[in-house]
């Protein structure tokens, strides 16, 4: 009895699972054809259990079913007697008892006896009996899915095109609105088309990556391979290492998604376009730049203004931008006062580029400079030189990654930046000066801590005038007289380690006295370090220490009184300067701060990092500024940096005397600024 049951099951299995479709053994509803490795399966299926039946290929044994190819996408069958057969000429035919031939693979003119089988790559192939070669394959007629061994392709000679076409809906496999393809441009790029209009663009291919996909930086292990030849053909394939089962699907909504199967579930590896308007083709129009931020926003390239101000105010940016100053370029003019090139960093290269044969970045620049039709150029690793002779369309600026794009402008567009560059460069220089001073302070403090093994009160006798040249020791009664015994009327403000008073010595010299409180927490090392450090920092914008007074528990530091504003005013007090620097950094990573004569000899990433650190050091809130150890790490490593906050305009009432001691009153709140302590 047991043997009979096993034999019956075996017969049933053989009757429902086919190894091949032959002229004498068609595939009927309820029967399937499997690949030899058991990964793929061909058969009839019905989306959402409707009456419509389709012939398709899916992953065998994975629930829910994932269909990767459909034969009769536009013509479902509803007859239960339908079957898929192969005729004597090697053509696959889908028969319906009601409608006759519903779908055909087309004529092949093969010899009698050809058969159809499902390969281990998920490709339905028709094999000739005599030749043994493939005479038809489903990979030549893609649906909405790309598998490991299938590929997108074009052939300019034959006119052949292999594209992905989305389903109309998740339950209707008929062709939808979106088509995925690669272009015959050199280098090629990927497109998702919505009808005849571009919907999304990958950016040009650069050996292992698409330049318009931020995920694909130079460290990215590419899953794609793109080849182009001189005969006008090209193809794109993909392969997920360590994942036997993976797929790319073009969804009914127009998204390109990469899925990989981990044995239990499908993992979404990549998706484009994302739910971000910057990824929709041409959202900012010609010469518009979409900034990939939250929320995304459109702006014009430098030297351009919105074509329609009213439309832009309403959030409709598709009209784009127009040049503010027309170019004065005739023939092969080489006058540097006529045109200049403005570099913009972190850019997805615009559409409608042309490949130029240039050996290096300098040749790329020269070829564009001497061609008045050339509006922009970019020298990209893995590609070489690209130039643009038409409107810059579909440009995106990423927060990181992307390419450096140089745009031709009238020289007058950059003249107005000279004063800005001077101001910002000065700010950055002074900021770096303060950073180095703070770094020196940190190292000096560490050295002093190693030797701090003395009695609690012995520090009073260790500081000698010769240790700090020019340092005076003041008597307590002298300071009391100068400050009217630390009168409240002479008090300038309250700092983190005590109070500050204004005073006048007998010779008429005005001084500022910092009276350290016993509860300040400042110990011997800090007190001695402040005297030594401030005495060694000599700068016209830094307050100068005159001496100290040590008597009993009193510890006083005496500074010169500065009538002019402190370094804080220059570094932290100018909103316009910080705003200009922040905008320049946001536009091109700070490369706009460079003189055009040296712009191409500098590394944009290094410039961007220097400006980035400078902006962090002049944040409005002290808590947002890096401390000494963080600054040392920023300057000596390539670690990720936090994003600087946009400068905030704050109405401030500043007392000149308060500023002299580094005390700032803002809305009745006291904030200590840079001053040695």
């Amino acid at each position: 009895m047991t043997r009979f049951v096993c034999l019956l099951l075996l017969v049933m299995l053989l009757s429902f699972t086919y190894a091949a479709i032959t002229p004498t053994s068609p595939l009927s509803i309820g029967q399937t054809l499997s690949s030899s490795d058991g990964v793929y399966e061909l058969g009839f299926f019905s989306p959402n259990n409707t009456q419509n039946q389709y012939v398709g290929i899916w992953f065998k044994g994975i629930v829910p079913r994932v269909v990767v190819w459909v034969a009769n996408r536009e013509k479902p069958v509803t007859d239960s007697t339908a079957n898929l057969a192969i005729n004597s000429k090697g053509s696959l035919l889908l028969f319906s008892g009601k409608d006759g031939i519903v779908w055909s693979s087309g004529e092949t003119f093969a010899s009698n006896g050809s058969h159809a089988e499902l390969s281990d790559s998920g490709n339905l192939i028709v094999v000739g009996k005599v030749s043994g070669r493939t005479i038809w394959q489903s990979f030549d007629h893609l649906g909405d899915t790309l598998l490991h061994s299938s590929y997108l392709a074009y052939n300019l000679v034959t006119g052949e095109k292999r594209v992905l076409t989305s389903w109309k809906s998740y339950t209707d496999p008929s062709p939808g609105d979106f088509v995925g393809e690669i272009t015959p441009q050199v280098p090629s790029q990927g497109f998702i088309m919505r009808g005849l209009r571009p919907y999304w663009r990958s950016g040009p291919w650069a050996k292992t990556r698409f330049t318009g996909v931020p995920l694909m930086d130079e460290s990215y292990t590419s899953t794609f391979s793109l080849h182009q030849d001189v005969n006008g053909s090209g193809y794109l394939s993909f392969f997920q290492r360590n994942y036997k089962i993976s797929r790319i699907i073009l969804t009914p909504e127009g998204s390109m998604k990469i899925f990989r199967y981990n044995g239990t579930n499908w993992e979404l590896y990549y998706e484009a376009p994302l739910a971000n308007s910057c990824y929709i083709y041409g959202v900012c129009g010609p010469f518009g730049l979409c900034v990939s931020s939250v929320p995304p926003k459109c702006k014009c390239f430098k030297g351009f203004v919105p074509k329609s101000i009213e439309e832009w105010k309403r959030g409709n940016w598709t009209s784009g931008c127009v040049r503010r100053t027309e170019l004065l370029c005739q023939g092969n003019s080489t006058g540097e006062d006529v045109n200049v090139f403005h570099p913009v960093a972190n850019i997805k290269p615009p559409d409608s580029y042309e490949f130029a044969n240039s050996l290096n970045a300098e040749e790329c620049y020269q070829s564009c400079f001497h061609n008045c039709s050339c509006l922009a150029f970019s020298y990209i690793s893995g590609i070489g030189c690209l130039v643009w002779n038409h409107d810059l369309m579909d440009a995106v600026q990423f927060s990181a990654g992307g390419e450096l794009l140089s745009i031709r402008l009238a020289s007058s567009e950059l003249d107005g930046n000279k004063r800005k560059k001077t101001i910002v460069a000065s700010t950055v220089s002074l900021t770096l000066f303060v950073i180095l001073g703070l770094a020196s302070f940190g190292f000096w403090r560490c050295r002093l801590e190693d030797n701090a093994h003395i009695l609690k009160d012995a520090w009073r006798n260790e500081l000698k005038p010769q240790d700090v040249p020019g340092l005076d020791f003041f008597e307590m009664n002298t300071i009391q007289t100068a400050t009217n015994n630390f009168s409240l009327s002479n008090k300038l403000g309250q700092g983190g380690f005590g109070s500050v008073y204004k005073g006048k010595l007998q010779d008429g010299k005005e001084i500022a006295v910092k009276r350290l409180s016993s509860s300040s927490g400042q110990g011997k090392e800090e007190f001695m370090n402040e005297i030594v450090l401030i005495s060694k920092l000599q700068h016209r914008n830094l307050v100068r220490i005159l001496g100290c007074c040590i008597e009993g528990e009193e510890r006083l530091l005496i500074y010169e009184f500065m009538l002019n504003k402190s370094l804080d005013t220059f570094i932290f007090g100018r909103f316009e300067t910080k705003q200009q620097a922040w905008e320049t950094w946001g536009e091109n990573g700070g490369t706009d701060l460079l003189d055009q004569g040296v712009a191409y000899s500098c590394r944009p990433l290094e410039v961007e990092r220097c400006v980035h650190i400078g902006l962090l050091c002049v944040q409005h809130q002290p808590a947002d500024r890096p401390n000494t150890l963080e600054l040392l790490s920023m300057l000596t490593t390539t670690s990720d940096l936090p994003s600087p906050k946009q400068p905030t305009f704050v109405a401030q009432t500043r007392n000149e005397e308060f500023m002299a001691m580094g005390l700032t009153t803002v809305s009745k709140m006291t904030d200590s600024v840079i001053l040695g302590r």
Side-chain angles (χ1 to χ4, degrees):
M1 182 66 180
T2 303
R3 290 183 178 180
F4 174 76
V5 172
C6 292
L7 182 61
L8 179 62
L9 290 175
L10 179 61
V11 171
M12 291 177 64
L13 180 65
L14 291 175
S15 64
F16 285 92
T17 303
Y18 276 52
I21 299 173
T22 66
T24 59
S25 57
L27 186 73
S28 301
I29 293 178
Q31 298 175 329
T32 59
L33 177 66
S34 299
S35 60
S36 62
D37 62 359
V39 175
Y40 298 97
E41 193 170 44
L42 170 75
F44 287 83
F45 74 98
S46 177
N48 275 8
N49 297 319
T50 63
Q51 295 297 318
N52 295 333
Q53 294 283 336
Y54 298 88
V55 173
I57 300 172
W58 55 82
F59 292 104
K60 186 175 183 178
I62 296 180
V63 179
R65 177 182 289 165
V66 176
V67 177
V68 298
W69 182 79
V70 181
N72 55 320
R73 296 183 65 174
E74 300 180 72
K75 295 181 179 180
V77 295
T78 57
D79 185 2
S80 61
T81 62
N83 65 77
L84 181 66
I86 187 170
N87 64 14
S88 60
K89 295 183 178 180
S91 296
L92 286 171
L93 304 173
L94 176 60
F95 288 99
S96 170
K98 295 179 180 179
D99 305 314
I101 299 177
V102 176
W103 173 86
S104 169
S105 63
E107 293 187 359
T108 59
F109 303 104
S111 59
N112 190 25
S114 299
H115 70 275
E117 63 184 55
L118 187 59
S119 73
D120 290 345
S121 61
N123 188 15
L124 177 62
I125 58 176
V126 174
V127 181
K129 180 180 180 181
V130 177
S131 64
R133 63 182 180 87
T134 299
I135 57 178
W136 181 91
Q137 60 178 351
S138 61
F139 277 3
D140 288 339
H141 310 275
L142 298 175
D144 68 338
T145 302
L146 198 67
L147 299 175
H148 274 182
S149 298
S150 58
Y151 51 87
L152 301 179
Y154 68 85
N155 189 314
L156 297 179
V157 177
T158 63
E160 176 193 4
K161 236 183 180 184
R162 292 192 189 181
V163 301
L164 294 182
T165 307
S166 68
W167 285 22
K168 183 166 290 185
S169 71
Y170 287 99
T171 58
D172 184 356
S174 61
D177 296 333
F178 298 94
V179 172
E181 62 185 24
I182 59 172
T183 67
Q185 294 169 276
V186 178
S188 182
Q189 57 182 341
F191 265 92
I192 296 177
M193 304 293 292
R194 188 172 195 173
L196 299 177
R197 298 176 62 87
Y199 179 70
W200 174 83
R201 185 178 62 91
S202 69
W205 176 257
K207 283 191 176 179
T208 60
R209 61 191 177 93
F210 286 110
T211 54
V213 180
L215 171 69
M216 297 183 183
D217 56 20
E218 294 186 358
S219 64
Y220 172 77
T221 301
S222 182
T223 60
F224 293 95
S225 177
L226 194 151
H227 298 274
Q228 293 178 280
D229 60 34
V230 295
N231 298 320
S233 64
Y235 65 89
L236 171 74
S237 61
F238 96 107
F239 182 77
Q240 278 276 347
R241 295 175 177 83
N242 303 322
Y243 286 87
K244 183 178 181 181
I245 300 178
S246 61
R247 59 192 170 100
I248 298 179
I249 181 174
L250 180 60
T251 70
E253 299 88 5
S255 291
M256 191 79 73
K257 295 183 178 182
I258 302 178
F259 287 100
R260 53 194 189 186
Y261 191 68
N262 60 17
T264 305
N265 299 302
W266 288 101
E267 299 174 349
L268 178 60
Y269 177 66
Y270 177 73
E271 177 181 4
L274 299 174
N276 182 321
S277 59
C278 274
Y279 292 88
I280 305 302
Y281 184 91
V283 67
C284 296
F287 297 106
L289 180 62
C290 193
V291 180
S292 184
S293 58
V294 180
K297 62 179 181 180
C298 283
K299 66 177 184 179
C300 294
F301 277 111
K302 185 176 183 63
F304 293 80
V305 294
K307 184 175 182 180
S308 173
I309 298 293
E310 294 302 319
E311 289 293 323
W312 275 57
K313 287 181 179 179
R314 289 196 291 264
N316 181 8
W317 305 305
T318 54
S319 59
C321 306
V322 292
R323 196 178 293 275
R324 178 166 44 203
T325 305
E326 289 302 318
L327 297 175
L328 299 176
C329 185
Q330 299 177 354
N332 290 324
S333 173
T334 60
E336 295 188 6
D337 59 332
V338 177
N339 291 159
V340 293
F341 282 92
H342 172 65
V344 188
N346 307 120
I347 297 298
K348 170 185 177 179
D351 196 11
S352 302
Y353 52 82
E354 296 180 20
F355 179 74
N357 289 315
S358 298
L359 296 178
N360 50 48
E362 177 61 25
E363 284 192 8
C364 187
Y365 160 72
Q366 292 294 339
S367 66
C368 188
F369 182 79
H370 293 294
N371 179 6
C372 288
S373 298
C374 183
L375 304 180
F377 74 91
S378 181
Y379 193 83
I380 302 174
S381 175
I383 295 178
C385 183
L386 296 182
V387 296
W388 284 263
N389 298 322
H390 304 284
D391 292 354
L392 303 184
M393 178 67 78
D394 193 40
V396 178
Q397 186 170 48
F398 305 122
S399 57
E403 310 299 332
L404 185 67
L405 179 70
S406 296
I407 303 174
R408 185 188 291 270
L409 296 176
S411 59
S412 59
E413 290 291 345
L414 296 183
D415 288 342
N417 286 335
K418 292 182 179 178
R419 184 176 65 87
K420 183 200 301 185
K421 291 179 182 178
T422 302
I423 293 174
V424 177
S426 299
T427 302
V428 173
S429 298
L430 283 174
T431 301
L432 292 177
F433 174 79
V434 174
I435 291 172
L436 293 176
L438 291 173
S440 300
F441 171 80
F443 286 124
W444 191 276
R445 179 174 178 175
C446 291
R447 292 182 60 187
L448 287 177
E449 288 179 352
D450 292 338
N451 299 318
H453 301 291
I454 58 178
L455 296 176
K456 179 178 179 181
D457 297 327
W459 61 269
R460 296 187 184 92
N461 300 319
E462 284 196 355
L463 190 63
K464 306 297 182 184
Q466 61 267 26
D467 294 338
V468 185
L471 181 72
D472 291 330
F473 280 78
F474 290 85
E475 297 294 330
M476 176 59 72
N477 58 3
T478 301
I479 303 303
Q480 288 176 328
T481 302
T483 60
N484 194 17
N485 200 22
F486 302 102
S487 170
L488 288 176
S489 62
N490 282 12
K491 189 174 182 179
L492 297 176
Q494 188 80 22
F497 286 108
S499 303
V500 181
Y501 298 85
K502 180 181 179 182
K504 182 179 290 188
L505 299 176
Q506 290 182 352
D507 60 1
K509 184 178 183 64
E510 291 185 317
I511 61 173
V513 181
K514 185 176 182 180
R515 188 182 192 185
L516 304 177
S517 66
S518 59
S519 61
S520 66
Q522 186 178 37
K524 164 201 159 187
E525 288 79 19
E526 290 88 346
F527 181 73
M528 295 177 64
N529 184 63
E530 179 163 359
I531 296 174
V532 175
L533 176 63
I534 298 299
S535 66
K536 292 181 180 296
L537 287 177
Q538 299 297 325
H539 191 275
R540 62 186 178 87
N541 286 317
L542 291 178
V543 65
R544 185 168 64 90
I545 191 169
L546 300 177
C548 65
C549 177
I550 306 170
E551 187 170 318
E553 294 297 323
E554 291 281 0
R555 287 170 287 168
L556 308 176
L557 293 173
I558 293 86
Y559 297 87
E560 68 176 346
F561 186 87
M562 295 181 67
L563 292 178
N564 294 325
K565 295 182 179 180
S566 70
L567 181 62
D568 168 71
T569 303
F570 192 83
I571 294 181
F572 302 103
R574 294 203 55 171
F575 168 78
E576 297 86 353
T577 299
K578 291 192 292 181
Q579 179 68 16
Q580 290 171 348
W582 189 84
E583 290 179 351
T584 302
W585 173 77
E587 288 179 358
N588 52 39
T591 54
D592 192 34
L593 301 177
L594 295 173
D595 186 275
Q596 289 296 311
V598 298
Y600 292 97
S601 64
C602 298
R603 296 181 179 179
L605 290 179
E606 293 180 355
V607 175
E608 178 182 2
R609 188 173 183 86
C610 288
V611 177
H612 193 156
I613 295 174
L615 287 171
L616 290 173
C617 290
V618 295
Q619 291 290 286
H620 179 69
Q621 295 295 336
D624 295 330
R625 305 169 198 154
N627 59 34
T628 302
L629 293 178
E630 290 170 339
L631 283 172
L632 288 175
S633 176
M634 291 176 181
L635 291 168
T636 58
T637 69
T638 58
S639 59
D640 292 337
L641 301 178
S643 297
K645 296 180 179 178
Q646 183 172 3
T648 303
F649 182 82
V650 180
Q652 299 178 343
T653 303
R654 296 175 177 261
N655 184 293
E656 294 292 338
E657 297 177 345
F658 278 36
M659 287 304 300
M661 282 313 303
L663 297 175
T664 305
T665 302
V666 182
S667 302
K668 298 183 180 180
M669 295 181 64
T670 301
D671 180 22
S672 296
V673 295
I674 291 181
L675 183 65
R677 60 172 190 255

